[in-house]
PDB file of all heavy atoms in Angstrom:
ATOM      1  N   SER V  24      33.898 -40.104  13.823  1.00  0.00           N
ATOM      2  CA  SER V  24      32.970 -39.990  14.936  1.00  0.00           C
ATOM      3  C   SER V  24      33.407 -38.897  15.899  1.00  0.00           C
ATOM      4  O   SER V  24      32.625 -38.025  16.272  1.00  0.00           O
ATOM      5  CB  SER V  24      32.880 -41.329  15.669  1.00  0.00           C
ATOM      6  OG  SER V  24      32.177 -41.193  16.874  1.00  0.00           O
ATOM      7  N   TYR V  50      26.136 -35.459   4.448  1.00  0.00           N
ATOM      8  CA  TYR V  50      25.995 -36.458   5.516  1.00  0.00           C
ATOM      9  C   TYR V  50      25.125 -35.941   6.662  1.00  0.00           C
ATOM     10  O   TYR V  50      25.280 -34.805   7.108  1.00  0.00           O
ATOM     11  CB  TYR V  50      27.380 -36.830   6.058  1.00  0.00           C
ATOM     12  CG  TYR V  50      27.321 -37.686   7.290  1.00  0.00           C
ATOM     13  CD1 TYR V  50      26.949 -39.021   7.202  1.00  0.00           C
ATOM     14  CD2 TYR V  50      27.614 -37.156   8.548  1.00  0.00           C
ATOM     15  CE1 TYR V  50      26.886 -39.812   8.338  1.00  0.00           C
ATOM     16  CE2 TYR V  50      27.558 -37.934   9.677  1.00  0.00           C
ATOM     17  CZ  TYR V  50      27.189 -39.256   9.571  1.00  0.00           C
ATOM     18  OH  TYR V  50      27.120 -40.034  10.679  1.00  0.00           O
ATOM     19  N   ARG V  57      23.050 -43.507  16.969  1.00  0.00           N
ATOM     20  CA  ARG V  57      23.837 -42.831  17.998  1.00  0.00           C
ATOM     21  C   ARG V  57      23.189 -43.033  19.374  1.00  0.00           C
ATOM     22  O   ARG V  57      23.846 -43.451  20.333  1.00  0.00           O
ATOM     23  CB  ARG V  57      23.924 -41.346  17.661  1.00  0.00           C
ATOM     24  CG  ARG V  57      24.527 -40.499  18.742  1.00  0.00           C
ATOM     25  CD  ARG V  57      24.879 -39.110  18.208  1.00  0.00           C
ATOM     26  NE  ARG V  57      26.176 -38.722  18.741  1.00  0.00           N
ATOM     27  CZ  ARG V  57      26.311 -37.917  19.799  1.00  0.00           C
ATOM     28  NH1 ARG V  57      25.247 -37.456  20.412  1.00  0.00           N
ATOM     29  NH2 ARG V  57      27.497 -37.613  20.244  1.00  0.00           N
ATOM     30  N   ARG V  60      23.503 -46.580  20.555  1.00  0.00           N
ATOM     31  CA  ARG V  60      24.847 -46.875  21.073  1.00  0.00           C
ATOM     32  C   ARG V  60      25.069 -46.225  22.443  1.00  0.00           C
ATOM     33  O   ARG V  60      25.688 -46.793  23.325  1.00  0.00           O
ATOM     34  CB  ARG V  60      25.875 -46.365  20.052  1.00  0.00           C
ATOM     35  CG  ARG V  60      27.331 -46.403  20.489  1.00  0.00           C
ATOM     36  CD  ARG V  60      27.784 -47.819  20.777  1.00  0.00           C
ATOM     37  NE  ARG V  60      28.360 -47.900  22.110  1.00  0.00           N
ATOM     38  CZ  ARG V  60      29.642 -48.098  22.372  1.00  0.00           C
ATOM     39  NH1 ARG V  60      30.491 -48.298  21.395  1.00  0.00           N
ATOM     40  NH2 ARG V  60      30.071 -48.117  23.602  1.00  0.00           N
TER      41      ARG V  60
ATOM     42  P    DG E   9      23.649 -48.976   8.146  1.00  0.00           P
ATOM     43  OP1  DG E   9      22.735 -48.305   7.216  1.00  0.00           O
ATOM     44  OP2  DG E   9      24.808 -49.728   7.649  1.00  0.00           O
ATOM     45  O5'  DG E   9      24.188 -47.904   9.195  1.00  0.00           O
ATOM     46  C5'  DG E   9      23.293 -46.998   9.828  1.00  0.00           C
ATOM     47  C4'  DG E   9      23.978 -46.391  11.022  1.00  0.00           C
ATOM     48  O4'  DG E   9      24.337 -47.442  11.937  1.00  0.00           O
ATOM     49  C3'  DG E   9      25.281 -45.655  10.694  1.00  0.00           C
ATOM     50  O3'  DG E   9      25.154 -44.347  11.217  1.00  0.00           O
ATOM     51  C2'  DG E   9      26.365 -46.480  11.368  1.00  0.00           C
ATOM     52  C1'  DG E   9      25.607 -47.181  12.481  1.00  0.00           C
ATOM     53  N9   DG E   9      26.141 -48.470  12.875  1.00  0.00           N
ATOM     54  C8   DG E   9      26.730 -49.416  12.064  1.00  0.00           C
ATOM     55  N7   DG E   9      27.099 -50.501  12.703  1.00  0.00           N
ATOM     56  C5   DG E   9      26.732 -50.264  14.022  1.00  0.00           C
ATOM     57  C6   DG E   9      26.879 -51.075  15.171  1.00  0.00           C
ATOM     58  O6   DG E   9      27.364 -52.199  15.253  1.00  0.00           O
ATOM     59  N1   DG E   9      26.368 -50.444  16.321  1.00  0.00           N
ATOM     60  C2   DG E   9      25.796 -49.189  16.331  1.00  0.00           C
ATOM     61  N2   DG E   9      25.367 -48.743  17.518  1.00  0.00           N
ATOM     62  N3   DG E   9      25.653 -48.419  15.266  1.00  0.00           N
ATOM     63  C4   DG E   9      26.142 -49.016  14.144  1.00  0.00           C
ATOM     64  P    DC E  10      26.350 -43.321  11.268  1.00  0.00           P
ATOM     65  OP1  DC E  10      25.773 -41.983  11.140  1.00  0.00           O
ATOM     66  OP2  DC E  10      27.431 -43.746  10.361  1.00  0.00           O
ATOM     67  O5'  DC E  10      26.858 -43.484  12.760  1.00  0.00           O
ATOM     68  C5'  DC E  10      26.025 -43.070  13.830  1.00  0.00           C
ATOM     69  C4'  DC E  10      26.471 -43.706  15.117  1.00  0.00           C
ATOM     70  O4'  DC E  10      26.747 -45.091  14.875  1.00  0.00           O
ATOM     71  C3'  DC E  10      27.760 -43.154  15.695  1.00  0.00           C
ATOM     72  O3'  DC E  10      27.434 -42.125  16.625  1.00  0.00           O
ATOM     73  C2'  DC E  10      28.388 -44.350  16.399  1.00  0.00           C
ATOM     74  C1'  DC E  10      27.604 -45.550  15.904  1.00  0.00           C
ATOM     75  N1   DC E  10      28.436 -46.643  15.346  1.00  0.00           N
ATOM     76  C2   DC E  10      28.814 -47.698  16.183  1.00  0.00           C
ATOM     77  O2   DC E  10      28.474 -47.649  17.373  1.00  0.00           O
ATOM     78  N3   DC E  10      29.541 -48.714  15.692  1.00  0.00           N
ATOM     79  C4   DC E  10      29.888 -48.726  14.396  1.00  0.00           C
ATOM     80  N4   DC E  10      30.596 -49.767  13.939  1.00  0.00           N
ATOM     81  C5   DC E  10      29.515 -47.674  13.512  1.00  0.00           C
ATOM     82  C6   DC E  10      28.804 -46.651  14.028  1.00  0.00           C
ATOM     83  P    DT E  11      28.601 -41.242  17.212  1.00  0.00           P
ATOM     84  OP1  DT E  11      27.957 -40.075  17.859  1.00  0.00           O
ATOM     85  OP2  DT E  11      29.630 -41.064  16.187  1.00  0.00           O
ATOM     86  O5'  DT E  11      29.176 -42.182  18.363  1.00  0.00           O
ATOM     87  C5'  DT E  11      28.386 -42.398  19.521  1.00  0.00           C
ATOM     88  C4'  DT E  11      29.123 -43.300  20.477  1.00  0.00           C
ATOM     89  O4'  DT E  11      29.600 -44.496  19.800  1.00  0.00           O
ATOM     90  C3'  DT E  11      30.351 -42.681  21.155  1.00  0.00           C
ATOM     91  O3'  DT E  11      30.240 -43.029  22.518  1.00  0.00           O
ATOM     92  C2'  DT E  11      31.533 -43.380  20.486  1.00  0.00           C
ATOM     93  C1'  DT E  11      30.937 -44.743  20.168  1.00  0.00           C
ATOM     94  N1   DT E  11      31.516 -45.531  19.027  1.00  0.00           N
ATOM     95  C2   DT E  11      31.901 -46.826  19.247  1.00  0.00           C
ATOM     96  O2   DT E  11      31.820 -47.376  20.329  1.00  0.00           O
ATOM     97  N3   DT E  11      32.383 -47.468  18.127  1.00  0.00           N
ATOM     98  C4   DT E  11      32.509 -46.961  16.855  1.00  0.00           C
ATOM     99  O4   DT E  11      32.948 -47.638  15.938  1.00  0.00           O
ATOM    100  C5   DT E  11      32.088 -45.587  16.701  1.00  0.00           C
ATOM    101  C7   DT E  11      32.183 -44.935  15.363  1.00  0.00           C
ATOM    102  C6   DT E  11      31.616 -44.940  17.783  1.00  0.00           C
ATOM    103  P    DT E  12      31.074 -42.245  23.619  1.00  0.00           P
ATOM    104  OP1  DT E  12      30.152 -41.968  24.731  1.00  0.00           O
ATOM    105  OP2  DT E  12      31.794 -41.157  22.931  1.00  0.00           O
ATOM    106  O5'  DT E  12      32.128 -43.335  24.097  1.00  0.00           O
ATOM    107  C5'  DT E  12      31.669 -44.620  24.469  1.00  0.00           C
ATOM    108  C4'  DT E  12      32.829 -45.576  24.537  1.00  0.00           C
ATOM    109  O4'  DT E  12      33.156 -46.048  23.213  1.00  0.00           O
ATOM    110  C3'  DT E  12      34.111 -44.956  25.094  1.00  0.00           C
ATOM    111  O3'  DT E  12      34.660 -45.854  26.036  1.00  0.00           O
ATOM    112  C2'  DT E  12      35.010 -44.830  23.881  1.00  0.00           C
ATOM    113  C1'  DT E  12      34.557 -46.046  23.072  1.00  0.00           C
ATOM    114  N1   DT E  12      34.870 -45.995  21.617  1.00  0.00           N
ATOM    115  C2   DT E  12      35.210 -47.170  20.973  1.00  0.00           C
ATOM    116  O2   DT E  12      35.270 -48.247  21.539  1.00  0.00           O
ATOM    117  N3   DT E  12      35.473 -47.030  19.644  1.00  0.00           N
ATOM    118  C4   DT E  12      35.431 -45.863  18.903  1.00  0.00           C
ATOM    119  O4   DT E  12      35.698 -45.866  17.708  1.00  0.00           O
ATOM    120  C5   DT E  12      35.074 -44.678  19.643  1.00  0.00           C
ATOM    121  C7   DT E  12      35.017 -43.357  18.945  1.00  0.00           C
ATOM    122  C6   DT E  12      34.817 -44.791  20.951  1.00  0.00           C
ATOM    123  P    DT E  13      35.110 -45.282  27.442  1.00  0.00           P
ATOM    124  OP1  DT E  13      34.545 -46.185  28.423  1.00  0.00           O
ATOM    125  OP2  DT E  13      34.805 -43.839  27.482  1.00  0.00           O
ATOM    126  O5'  DT E  13      36.687 -45.446  27.449  1.00  0.00           O
ATOM    127  C5'  DT E  13      37.259 -46.435  28.291  1.00  0.00           C
ATOM    128  C4'  DT E  13      37.345 -47.793  27.593  1.00  0.00           C
ATOM    129  O4'  DT E  13      37.057 -47.641  26.201  1.00  0.00           O
ATOM    130  C3'  DT E  13      38.754 -48.389  27.697  1.00  0.00           C
ATOM    131  O3'  DT E  13      38.722 -49.558  28.505  1.00  0.00           O
ATOM    132  C2'  DT E  13      39.152 -48.711  26.270  1.00  0.00           C
ATOM    133  C1'  DT E  13      37.881 -48.488  25.455  1.00  0.00           C
ATOM    134  N1   DT E  13      38.143 -47.817  24.148  1.00  0.00           N
ATOM    135  C2   DT E  13      38.433 -48.577  23.050  1.00  0.00           C
ATOM    136  O2   DT E  13      38.523 -49.789  23.082  1.00  0.00           O
ATOM    137  N3   DT E  13      38.633 -47.869  21.895  1.00  0.00           N
ATOM    138  C4   DT E  13      38.553 -46.500  21.723  1.00  0.00           C
ATOM    139  O4   DT E  13      38.744 -45.978  20.634  1.00  0.00           O
ATOM    140  C5   DT E  13      38.237 -45.754  22.909  1.00  0.00           C
ATOM    141  C7   DT E  13      38.125 -44.262  22.849  1.00  0.00           C
ATOM    142  C6   DT E  13      38.055 -46.435  24.051  1.00  0.00           C
TER     143       DT E  13
END
Side-chain angles (χ1 to χ4, degrees):
Chain V
S24 170
Y50 171 73
R57 171 167 222 261
R60 172 62 234 249

